[in-house]
Amino acid sequence: MMAPMQERAPQLAYSEALGHGLADRRIAILRHIGEGGSISQAARAVGVSYKAAWQALDTLTNLAGVPLVERLVGGAGGGGARLTDAGRQLLAAARTLDAARSAALARIDPAAGAQALGGLAVRTSMRNQWPCVVQALQAHGPLVLVQLQGDAAAAQALSVRARITRESAELLGLAPGLPVQALCKATAVRAVALGRGEALPAANAWAGRVTRVSRGTAGDEVSAQLDAGVQMVGFAAAASGLRSRARVLLSVDESAVVLAVAPGGRVGEHSVST
């Protein structure tokens, strides 16, 4: 008779949970919980709301694959929170990785392009990626409208708007002047022919010239060089008639633009503007 198979305990997924190092506010929240034993205290220390702190812990736990924090009920202090063994192991690994990253960056000449490493560190399937700088933030209830401008010298005419949750804006530490990566999927970008003299929509619509078209029964994949100085990939309706060098209009919804703060980026104690 075969012995019953033992169920394997879940393993801590270091590589998933530590994708952004100590600069990530999720790690900072975890560290403050370990130091103070309180989620609300950790939220205040990092400069985010209690709700945002819980969102950060939920996300980090999902990435790690194991519980990182346990709640304490009752007692003289009325309850609190403490790190699990996995939570303490994750923090130790984060410190080791951060020290190694800092040592490596210290050996790189900034003139040789060390700043570009931040963008390269973001691994994603999204084909449209642009280095930007936050220009302004406007809170609208639970959402925040983020106005961005292209950061590269050749793309300073690029203007992008992203609509994200207030908690996400807090956890990223968004504030005017902060460098970020703006990303969106090619499938979220709509491409249509642009007529001569046709006016552009107010936001997240860019004129350009087609560089490549790949025909498909479900839609035509269109690559374009925007007048704003960057490349963009989107999709037009099947048999769109778009050809190389044709004028094209590409647009994307504000809610489809994703923002990322690169490792080592400046993440300060900022709150969302109201």
Side-chain angles (χ1 to χ4, degrees):
M1 181 176 178
M2 295 182 61
M5 295 183 61
Q6 292 186 343
E7 185 175 344
R8 295 182 60 185
Q11 300 295 308
L12 175 57
Y14 288 101
S15 60
E16 297 296 332
L18 294 178
H20 301 289
L22 289 178
D24 192 323
R25 286 191 163 189
R26 294 172 295 190
I27 296 295
I29 290 169
L30 196 67
R31 184 176 70 252
H32 282 289
I33 291 174
E35 295 172 353
S38 167
I39 295 175
S40 58
Q41 180 179 325
R44 288 193 296 270
V46 177
V48 301
S49 66
Y50 183 75
K51 180 182 177 183
W54 266 115
Q55 175 182 306
L57 291 174
D58 288 343
T59 300
L60 197 57
T61 298
N62 287 341
L63 292 172
V66 293
L68 303 174
V69 174
E70 59 180 348
R71 301 188 69 169
L72 305 177
V73 180
R82 67 183 177 193
L83 302 185
T84 62
D85 288 342
R88 289 187 288 272
Q89 293 168 15
L90 188 67
L91 273 185
R95 295 188 189 98
T96 300
L97 286 176
D98 194 63
R101 181 185 293 119
S102 297
L105 290 176
R107 294 193 295 269
I108 297 175
D109 180 3
Q115 184 176 359
L117 292 177
L120 295 177
V122 180
R123 300 177 62 190
T124 172
S125 64
M126 298 188 190
R127 295 170 62 186
N128 294 306
Q129 303 183 34
W130 315 288
C132 294
V133 175
V134 176
Q135 296 296 303
L137 301 99
Q138 293 180 318
H140 301 277
L143 301 178
V144 175
L145 180 64
V146 186
Q147 181 68 48
L148 308 164
Q149 181 179 352
D151 193 22
Q156 291 184 354
L158 178 68
S159 178
V160 183
R161 291 169 64 167
R163 192 175 298 275
I164 63 177
T165 65
R166 183 186 291 261
E167 287 74 30
S168 293
E170 291 181 6
L171 291 171
L172 287 175
L174 296 185
L178 180 72
V180 299
Q181 288 283 111
L183 313 93
C184 69
K185 298 168 60 175
T187 51
V189 178
R190 299 176 295 274
V192 296
L194 180 63
R196 183 184 297 272
E198 184 177 342
L200 299 181
N204 280 18
W206 308 274
R209 196 169 294 278
V210 176
T211 57
R212 293 187 308 277
V213 179
S214 298
R215 309 292 179 189
T217 56
D220 295 344
E221 181 182 300
V222 179
S223 298
Q225 172 74 32
L226 301 188
D227 297 346
V230 299
Q231 302 286 332
M232 186 176 288
V233 183
F235 278 82
S240 64
L242 287 170
R243 287 177 169 76
S244 180
R245 299 192 60 78
R247 293 291 289 170
V248 65
L249 177 69
L250 296 104
S251 60
V252 64
D253 292 337
E254 296 168 351
S255 58
V257 177
V258 176
L259 303 182
V261 176
R266 178 171 60 83
V267 181
E269 302 299 323
H270 302 292
S271 58
V272 178
S273 60
T274 57

